[in-house]
Amino acid sequence: MPETLIPPRLLPSGDSAITVEFSRNIDDAANRRVLALDRIITAEPIGGITETVPTYRSLLVHYDPVEISFDQLGEQLLARAARALPTTGKTRRWRIPVAYGGEHGIDLEEVAKTLQTTPEEIIARHVAGDYRVAMIGFTPGWSYLSGLEKFLHMPRRQDPRLLTPAGTISIGGVQTGVQCLAGPSGWHLLGRTAVRTYQLHRDPTFLLEPGDAISFTAVDAKTFAEQDRAAEAGEFVAELVTA
């Protein structure tokens, strides 16, 4: 039986949440099942669920134990998971501009040295990637992307930084990501984007969603500064290639 058809594991998470686990590894097929289950729960609500939180390989389901028991909820979740098939229709695709290297990507030179190549080659490989938003978390708008080329896989930094800039585009382990707000990070900083994936008073507040496709394009520092001003004023800056 194909792995994608194996029933997920149900794991208690405290007394008011269930983790529906599809895989123990970061896996695109598992992530697609996570998002499919999240969608079907939205379309066919289960009484007592208060919130769902999709991750790379599992869906955390918060519930009110007064309204529904663990066993009752688990049974309904497994039934929906059996019917929740990943979507095969059109996917939203965004093109995100990035200013690589220099003050905007302070780890680019070190990454190139570690991987025994040039900064230009790192940029070219990163731009050539075809990525998916696997999950959003850690801080508002922080978008974790799958699809990073194996050549660019790198362990996270041994000395995480306490503060990294908003808009940082970085790599860590098998992932790349778009960091919206300034914050701590142990990833390697390749560049920055002016795109605000989260902007409180904008509609929509969150620009990217799990399942969206992402590609990057390189821009110079002057263009970044111009785009940064436009983004601050509420413009998306990111180009919606397909909707």
Side-chain angles (χ1 to χ4, degrees):
M1 179 181 294
E3 184 180 355
T4 54
L5 299 181
I6 295 175
R9 296 199 309 160
L10 299 181
L11 306 172
S13 300
D15 59 1
S16 59
I18 295 178
T19 296
V20 186
E21 184 184 74
F22 289 93
S23 174
R24 298 188 183 185
N25 303 305
I26 291 179
D27 179 271
D28 255 357
N31 183 248
R32 292 179 191 278
R33 293 187 71 194
V34 169
L35 301 183
L37 177 58
D38 195 36
R39 283 191 296 267
I40 201 170
I41 291 174
T42 299
E44 302 176 18
I46 300 173
I49 289 182
T50 58
E51 184 182 12
T52 58
V53 183
T55 72
Y56 261 105
R57 56 189 184 81
S58 64
L59 182 69
L60 180 64
V61 181
H62 293 275
Y63 67 97
D64 184 347
V66 174
E67 291 191 40
I68 191 169
S69 70
F70 177 94
D71 290 339
Q72 291 170 330
L73 178 55
E75 182 178 350
Q76 294 199 48
L77 289 173
L78 288 177
R80 281 165 172 73
R83 296 188 290 109
L85 300 177
T87 58
T88 56
K90 184 179 292 187
T91 299
R92 291 199 313 175
R93 174 174 291 278
W94 297 91
R95 184 178 293 123
I96 294 178
V98 181
Y100 287 95
E103 64 176 318
H104 298 310
I106 58 177
D107 293 329
L108 179 61
E109 297 277 351
E110 183 180 345
V111 167
K113 183 178 180 180
T114 300
L115 297 180
Q116 300 181 337
T117 186
T118 64
E120 292 75 18
E121 178 71 8
I122 297 297
I123 294 170
R125 286 176 177 269
H126 194 260
V127 166
D130 186 17
Y131 308 103
R132 284 181 62 253
V133 180
M135 61 175 282
I136 295 175
F138 184 53
T139 58
W142 216 122
S143 304
Y144 292 80
L145 311 184
S146 64
L148 182 67
E149 179 190 357
K150 189 173 182 179
F151 180 84
L152 297 177
H153 292 184
M154 284 188 65
R156 299 186 186 191
R157 292 174 54 88
Q158 293 184 352
D159 53 340
R161 296 184 174 95
L162 296 180
L163 187 64
T164 54
T168 291
I169 304 298
S170 53
I171 58 175
V174 301
Q175 309 166 78
T176 188
V178 183
Q179 175 182 327
C180 184
L181 305 179
S185 177
W187 293 29
H188 305 275
L189 283 53
L190 299 185
R192 286 183 68 195
T193 181
V195 174
R196 271 65 163 169
T197 55
Y198 165 81
Q199 200 164 22
L200 183 59
H201 301 296
R202 182 189 63 198
D203 183 20
T205 302
F206 292 95
L207 185 63
L208 306 181
E209 298 177 356
D212 285 356
I214 304 293
S215 59
F216 295 112
T217 183
V219 298
D220 59 26
K222 179 182 178 181
T223 301
F224 169 84
E226 294 170 350
Q227 292 176 334
D228 195 46
R229 289 191 291 270
E232 184 62 28
E235 293 186 26
F236 288 170
V237 176
E239 179 186 356
L240 183 57
V241 181
T242 57

